[in-house]
Structures are given as structure tokens and as C-alpha cells.
Amino acid sequence: METINSQINTVLDNKPTWLTQDFAIYFTTMAALWMTRVVLLKSLVRLGRSQYAEQYRITKRPLITDAQLERESVWVYGYFYDFMSFMLIYYLGMFRDMPLYISESIWWHFVFHATVVEFVYYWFHRLLHVTWFYKNFHQYHHKSINTEPTTGVSFEIAERLSYTALFAIAPLCVALLGYQSYVTLFLYFCWFDVMNEGGHINFEVLPEWFHKSPLRWVFYSPSFHSVHHTKFKKNYTLFMPWCDILFGTAIYKDEKPQELLPTRSEKKADFVLLVHAGYMPSMLYSTKVNGHKYFVELANLKHKYEHQGWMYLLYPYLMVLSTYVGYFHKGYHNEEEFDFSLPHSDKPDAKKAAVGSTWIVRNLGAHYLIKSYKKTIISRIENAVLEAQEKGIKVVGLGNFNKAEWINHGGLDIVERLKDKLNGTTFIAHGDTLSAASVFQYSMWLKENNYWRKSVFITGATSKIGRALCLQFAKKGITVYMYSQVRARYQEIVDEAAPEDQHLLIYSDNLADGKNSDLWLTGKMIPAGKELINAIPKYATIVNFAVPDPLTPKILATRPDLLHLDSGLLAYDHKVMSPKFTWLLPSGTIYACLAGCIVHSLLGVQAHEVGPVIIDEMDKYWNAAQEFGFCTPPHSSFYNPITLPPPRLV
């Protein structure tokens, strides 16, 4: 016991010099301040959307869209950056041992803000309207014409961090003079947020006498700032117009509601592909998840979706981000809309066959495997289905784990739970009919070209796709070893086969049973790694349709005799569709299940595609997919193009 107490005392004696009671007070105050800022923002948003606000609305067009709301949801990251910067400032020795209140502090805050902050901000803001800076930074903020309070705190990361530094000038200068206090620091940032977010509230909150008095030259109004969001090159001021007046960029006009631009509505999507983030760094590829296009551009430097070494540097940020969006943020978002044209529609006036949209559930793949997330994820998927119905979307395609058996049994549970809410206009599709067809067609092509000949060993044999493949191979007279740990499920599938084919479906719970199989289909994450590759016989062909692949390039390199190929993918022509967000696949490639959802929509099927794959529908979906411009992609291994070696069978 004495040893333990001694160790504890040693730790306490060696604690960082900044980790004190004063820091505890500072941290608590800053946490309270930032929570107050959130309450203020939410309150102003509610006020801006009230019936009262409609009477005094300044800019009514264009309408606020879901895309704008999603774009402006990045405000939370800015608040996080502010909070962490103030923790860093304390760590560096500032804001320590502050008194509760100093009366002179308010005056000095005003002096530094009105002079230094306003002047620096004015010229920095004008710089941001220079073409290159505007295009690469400030354009994100100005996409919002019809502003909301959240517009005032929605920026690209580089611009947002610049503001974090700029707006800390007044408090830091006051601290250097020795006049900083907790009360004035708290009040300054609350006042700052009210002025900033109130300036973007888009209805005139100030009385008529204000606009006729000299006060309008001291402080701006929502009407004054709305001009900046419609004229762009005027009214650059932060809160105090003196720089605009001095440098000739101020415009004062009648504070009457104005419709400055025509109504612009969002495209109505015909189908939605509902996917989710794969692994933690994959959040970098979505602007609307990570909040900033620079992460997307950085991640895409290699024009390839993969984990890159530098991404480890962002893991602390991504861990906080993934926890936040996994539990507390809006459950999903519209990542992108894209047109789908019928093949051979090269004419400029060719009619678009459909409009598609990718929605991303804001959970990582790992979250789907954690019990505590399950209820949240199920709710998010079902809410997305109901929102799609409300928007008049015909098909909701379930991608990735959004159709997993342990989540909703391939969509069956969604249909059952929402049976009283679905009105027969929106249908759910897991797309696995086309997935199974694409894997089967590719496997048979390999057989015809002598890349395998004997029998098939398949992991994940009792999954939706695995079951369909086993039954199709049996129909062709091909022996299939069905690897599974659940014999009862295997027997159910055997009973579905024609009596004359049942002997071709052989149960296996041991990888060694595949020692004579020259085609291995991997359709499940486990078994994996060395356990799997050591069981595969020499010169076998591996066709993978599991995500993630149970093998890795490093492990495969130990067996150069094996041929590894990707499957469950389809290629599309960029003239048919050209989405910017490509579901973490090389451009021009799509998961067959997502293509299946598109086909489901284009065929106008008035039914859900949920639960087990209907075997008799596989050829229908395969033929339709080819008609609509999908085809088998070039051969690849781990998404890297490869050239097939000469056939090894004679």
C-alpha cells in the first residue's frame, strides 16, 4: 500500500505546471462559454425561422435548400477549433490567474476591436474577394445568398482558422495589458456571436429610427450585411462600417424585403444510394462529413481511395469527429446528386433517364458492429427512407452494412417496421440480385477461359449473395463446397435446389475441404489472412466479393501462384453518369449492388427488393444492367488494374 501511495504522490508531484486549480476554473468557464455560444446560435436560428421574422424578411430568394443546410452544418467544427485554440493559449501561458471582473476590461475590448480587429478584418475580407482567394476559400461562405445565423460561422477550414486567430486579437491584447477577466471574456464572445450571427439572420431586427440615426455609421445591421451577400463587392465590414465608409465600399439602402434572384429549387432525385463511411480516414473524402474540401483534395492527391500514411496525423481529429457524427449529428446527408443518361444519348438535348443521389449515413463501418450504435443506426436508415418518400424519391438503395442481416435482414425489417408509413410510392432495394448476377457471370467467364475447371469453394455461402451463387452453380452442374458454421442454414439452401442438383451442394466447416477446388469465392470478412490463404490450393483462382477483402496485398504476395481478382463491381461510361463522389472506388467503377438499385429504379419495379435474392430475377437484372450501360470492369486485384496471365488449364 505504501508503494502505491508513493507512486500516486510521484505522479501528482510531476504533473504539468499548467494542470492546476486555475486551469480547472478556466476550462470550466470556457466550456460554459462555448455551450452558451451554441445556445445563442440555436436561439437565433429559431428566431430567424419564426413567423415574426417573415414579416421583415430581407432576402427571400433563392429558397434555402437542404444543400445549404448541410453546407452550413460545419459550424460545429469552427466552435471546436475555437475551444481548442483557447486551451492552447492557456497552455502557452496566457489567460492565467484572471480575476472575475475588471471594469476597465470592457473599454479595452471595445478599443482593440473597433480599431485593430475591424481594420484587419476589412482588408482581409477584401483580399478574400480577389478571384483566386474567393474561388479557393471564401466561395464556400458566399454560396448562401439567403442567409441564416449559421451562415456567419460556416467557412472552409483555412479561412475558419484565420478567423480564430484574428478574433482572438482583442482578448489577447487586453490580457497583455493586464486587464483581462472572466466576465469580460465571456461577454465579449457572446456579444461577438450575437453581432455576427444576428447580421446573417436575414430579417431586420433593428427599429426604423436606428437606420435614420448616426448609429448606423457605428454598427451595422442585418440589412447592411445582406447587401454584401447579394452585391459581393460592397459592405465588407465586420460589425462597424467605418472602414467601408472610409474606403468607399459602403452601400446604404431602404430596408425593404427584396427578391434579388429567381427561385432555384433542388433537382428531384429518382433514386437514392444510401451508403456509409467505411473506415475512419474515409470521412476525409466527404466534404459534408469532415466539413472542408481541403481534406478531400488532400486525400485525392493520388486519385485513389486508400489509407495513406499521413492520415494517421488526423486520427485525433477524426476520432472526435466520428464519435460526434456517430451519435449526435444529423444521421445522414445528401452528398451529391448526378444525372443518369441512357447509353448512346450523345445529343445535347438527349433526355436524362433519371436523377440519382448519394446519401451517406454518418457512421463508420465499425459502428455497425458495435451493439451500442445499433439503435441509432437503424433509426437513421429508417428516417432516411421516410425522408426519401417525402421528397418523392422512387427507390432507396441500401449499400454497405445498411442492409446487413444483423441490422435489418436485408431490408426486410425496414419494410415491416414502416409498413404503416410507407405509401407505396417509394421502394427499398438491396441491389444484391445484380451483385450475385455479376459475380456469377464473371466466374463463368473465367471458367470458359480456362482459369478454373473443377469445383467452387465459397466463404459466406449462406449470405444473400452466397446463397444465390450456390444455387446458380448447382443449376450448371458445378460442385460447390459451402463453407458455413450453421448447418441448419446450409440445409435450408440445399432444400431450395432442384432434387437432381442437391448432391452438388456440399457442406463444409473446414477450409481444408477446399483442397481440390480451383475457384475460391471469398464472400465474407472471415476467415481471413494467413488462415485463409494457407488453405487455398496451388494455382487456384480467388474471386472476392466481400467488403472488406479478407486478404491483403501483403499476404497475397506470399503466394505468387494464386490469381486474385475483384468482383461484385461494374463499370459505367462517364457519358451515362459522372458522379464526383464515387463511393470510395476508382472513378468509372460502382459496386454492383448500387448499380442494382439504379436498375431497379430505371426498370420502374413497383416492389421492394429485400430479403433473399430471387434467383429467377438474376438474368433479368443482368440483361437490364447491360442495356443501361453497365458492364464488367477491367480485371483488377485490390482495385488495381492487372493483366490476366495466360490460362493455366489445358
Side-chain angles (χ1 to χ4, degrees):
M1 182 63 70
E2 290 181 5
T3 302
I4 294 174
N5 289 334
S6 175
Q7 291 175 345
I8 293 173
N9 290 332
T10 300
V11 171
L12 293 175
D13 290 341
N14 294 328
K15 67 183 179 182
T17 56
W18 54 271
L19 198 56
T20 61
Q21 183 179 3
D22 181 64
F23 174 74
I25 296 172
Y26 178 80
F27 180 88
T28 303
T29 305
M30 292 302 102
L33 170 59
W34 262 258
M35 285 189 285
T36 303
R37 295 182 69 192
V38 172
V39 171
L40 282 173
L41 176 60
K42 293 294 186 180
S43 300
L44 288 169
V45 169
R46 184 177 292 272
L47 176 61
R49 296 175 183 176
S50 67
Q51 289 298 315
Y52 174 79
E54 287 300 323
Q55 303 174 57
Y56 305 99
R57 187 69 65 206
I58 301 166
T59 302
K60 294 186 177 181
R61 297 288 188 272
L63 299 177
I64 293 174
T65 63
D66 287 345
Q68 177 176 337
L69 297 178
E70 290 291 347
R71 187 173 62 251
E72 293 182 358
S73 66
V74 301
W75 65 265
V76 68
Y77 307 127
Y79 278 22
F80 175 73
Y81 303 149
D82 290 345
F83 181 82
M84 295 308 297
S85 68
F86 271 73
M87 293 302 104
L88 177 62
I89 288 170
Y90 186 92
Y91 176 79
L92 295 175
M94 299 290 289
F95 295 161
R96 297 193 182 185
D97 300 313
M98 288 191 297
L100 180 62
Y101 176 68
I102 299 177
S103 58
E104 295 90 341
S105 182
I106 295 177
W107 163 252
W108 282 113
H109 270 95
F110 179 80
V111 168
F112 285 116
H113 179 93
T115 55
V116 180
V117 176
E118 289 286 344
F119 182 80
V120 173
Y121 176 85
Y122 175 83
W123 286 107
F124 180 65
H125 195 176
R126 290 195 65 168
L127 176 67
L128 290 172
H129 279 262
V130 173
T131 303
W132 187 89
F133 290 100
Y134 183 84
K135 181 179 178 181
N136 288 280
F137 298 96
H138 201 48
Q139 180 179 234
Y140 188 96
H141 176 71
H142 269 285
K143 285 181 180 179
S144 301
I145 307 296
N146 190 341
T147 61
E148 287 208 300
T150 49
T151 308
V153 283
S154 302
F155 303 92
E156 286 283 4
I157 184 171
E159 184 178 355
R160 186 61 180 83
L161 290 173
S162 299
Y163 291 148
T164 296
L166 174 59
F167 301 149
I169 288 177
L172 286 173
C173 288
V174 174
L176 288 172
L177 291 178
Y179 292 116
Q180 192 56 272
S181 70
Y182 280 112
V183 170
T184 46
L185 189 63
F186 197 100
L187 291 176
Y188 176 72
F189 278 101
C190 289
W191 170 81
F192 191 101
D193 282 355
V194 170
M195 293 294 290
N196 178 36
E197 294 152 13
H200 290 85
I201 203 168
N202 195 26
F203 81 92
E204 191 46 73
V205 297
L206 297 173
E208 187 175 349
W209 62 261
F210 174 89
H211 300 286
K212 296 178 180 179
S213 72
L215 283 176
R216 67 178 183 157
W217 299 325
V218 180
F219 295 107
Y220 80 162
S221 67
S223 299
F224 184 90
H225 190 67
S226 72
V227 172
H228 179 71
H229 277 264
T230 54
K231 301 297 183 184
F232 301 109
K233 295 290 187 179
K234 298 293 181 180
N235 296 9
Y236 294 99
T237 193
L238 183 55
F239 308 143
M240 300 177 176
W242 67 267
C243 283
D244 276 312
I245 296 169
L246 182 62
F247 299 109
T249 53
I251 288 184
Y252 287 93
K253 59 192 303 180
D254 294 336
E255 277 64 47
K256 294 180 179 179
Q258 48 189 306
E259 297 188 4
L260 296 159
L261 293 172
T263 303
R264 181 177 61 194
S265 59
E266 292 180 288
K267 294 179 180 179
K268 179 182 176 182
D270 297 287
F271 60 86
V272 159
L273 306 178
L274 188 65
V275 298
H276 62 76
Y279 52 97
M280 195 178 292
S282 70
M283 293 187 295
L284 297 174
Y285 293 100
S286 170
T287 302
K288 294 178 182 178
V289 174
N290 70 61
H292 307 289
K293 75 173 184 179
Y294 298 104
F295 285 154
V296 179
E297 292 172 352
L298 187 60
N300 279 329
L301 283 178
K302 291 188 176 182
H303 307 288
K304 187 175 176 182
Y305 295 107
E306 63 179 17
H307 190 286
Q308 300 168 40
W310 60 265
M311 292 179 175
Y312 285 113
L313 299 174
L314 293 175
Y315 263 53
Y317 169 75
L318 292 174
M319 288 177 68
V320 174
L321 176 62
S322 65
T323 301
Y324 173 74
V325 300
Y327 274 119
F328 307 111
H329 209 272
K330 182 184 176 183
Y332 52 91
H333 70 267
N334 181 347
E335 178 69 23
E336 181 194 12
E337 292 177 342
F338 55 91
D339 291 323
F340 188 97
S341 301
L342 291 175
H344 317 301
S345 298
D346 297 329
K347 297 179 181 179
D349 59 346
K351 183 181 178 183
K352 302 298 181 184
V355 175
S357 183
T358 298
W359 291 9
I360 299 181
V361 175
R362 290 176 164 177
N363 285 90
L364 300 178
H367 293 166
Y368 287 72
L369 306 174
I370 301 173
K371 188 175 180 180
S372 60
Y373 279 97
K374 185 176 179 180
K375 186 176 179 180
T376 298
I377 290 171
I378 290 173
S379 175
R380 290 178 168 188
I381 296 171
E382 293 177 358
N383 287 338
V385 171
L386 293 175
E387 182 174 333
Q389 178 176 262
E390 185 180 333
K391 291 178 179 292
I393 294 168
K394 300 171 186 174
V395 173
V396 177
L398 304 178
N400 309 102
F401 288 154
N402 289 325
K403 58 187 172 187
E405 287 296 308
W406 67 90
I407 295 294
N408 52 43
H409 296 93
L412 275 173
D413 294 347
I414 301 175
V415 175
E416 177 60 28
R417 278 195 290 264
L418 300 182
K419 61 184 177 182
D420 296 330
K421 297 180 179 179
L422 294 175
N423 58 21
T425 60
T426 297
F427 300 97
I428 300 164
H430 55 46
D432 284 342
T433 306
L434 184 56
S435 282
S438 68
V439 177
F440 179 73
Q441 294 291 336
Y442 189 45
S443 299
M444 294 306 293
W445 182 91
L446 290 168
K447 187 176 193 300
E448 292 167 6
N449 287 273
N450 293 321
Y451 285 95
W452 68 279
R453 184 170 52 188
K454 299 176 185 176
S455 61
V456 179
F457 189 92
I458 178 169
T459 66
T462 59
S463 66
K464 290 190 294 297
I465 298 174
R467 163 191 161 274
L469 290 171
C470 292
L471 292 172
Q472 282 290 74
F473 282 123
K475 275 187 179 182
K476 295 290 185 180
I478 297 169
T479 300
V480 183
Y481 289 88
M482 299 174 59
Y483 183 80
S484 174
Q485 302 300 316
V486 184
R487 192 172 190 114
R489 175 67 181 132
Y490 153 80
Q491 192 59 51
E492 289 175 3
I493 296 172
V494 171
D495 292 342
E496 288 187 69
E500 63 272 19
D501 297 333
Q502 291 183 359
H503 71 284
L504 297 170
L505 301 175
I506 302 172
Y507 177 73
S508 171
D509 60 0
N510 190 332
L511 294 177
D513 294 336
K515 62 185 178 182
N516 294 318
S517 297
D518 48 356
L519 177 64
W520 279 58
L521 296 179
T522 50
K524 198 172 183 180
M525 293 182 289
I526 51 175
K530 291 183 179 179
E531 178 191 7
L532 176 61
I533 204 163
N534 289 339
I536 300 176
K538 273 191 173 184
Y539 306 114
T541 296
I542 306 166
V543 173
N544 175 68
F545 61 93
V547 180
D549 194 315
L551 296 175
T552 65
K554 184 177 180 180
I555 290 175
L556 188 66
T558 65
R559 291 288 305 274
D561 58 299
L562 301 177
L563 173 61
H564 174 277
L565 297 165
D566 302 321
S567 190
L569 306 172
L570 290 175
Y572 58 86
D573 190 327
H574 284 90
K575 293 179 180 178
V576 173
M577 66 176 190
S578 189
K580 294 179 181 177
F581 182 84
T582 57
W583 314 286
L584 305 185
L585 288 173
S587 182
T589 310
I590 186 173
Y591 289 110
C593 63
L594 298 182
C597 301
I598 297 175
V599 170
H600 194 92
S601 173
L602 296 174
L603 287 174
V605 179
Q606 300 290 300
H608 300 293
E609 183 200 4
V610 294
V613 170
I614 300 175
I615 307 301
D616 294 339
E617 295 278 287
M618 288 172 62
D619 286 343
K620 167 187 168 182
Y621 275 81
W622 177 251
N623 294 331
Q626 292 178 303
E627 278 184 43
F628 295 138
F630 294 107
C631 62
T632 302
H635 307 293
S636 66
S637 176
F638 302 106
Y639 306 133
N640 292 309
I642 64 169
T643 301
L644 285 184
R648 293 169 290 185
L649 301 176
V650 180

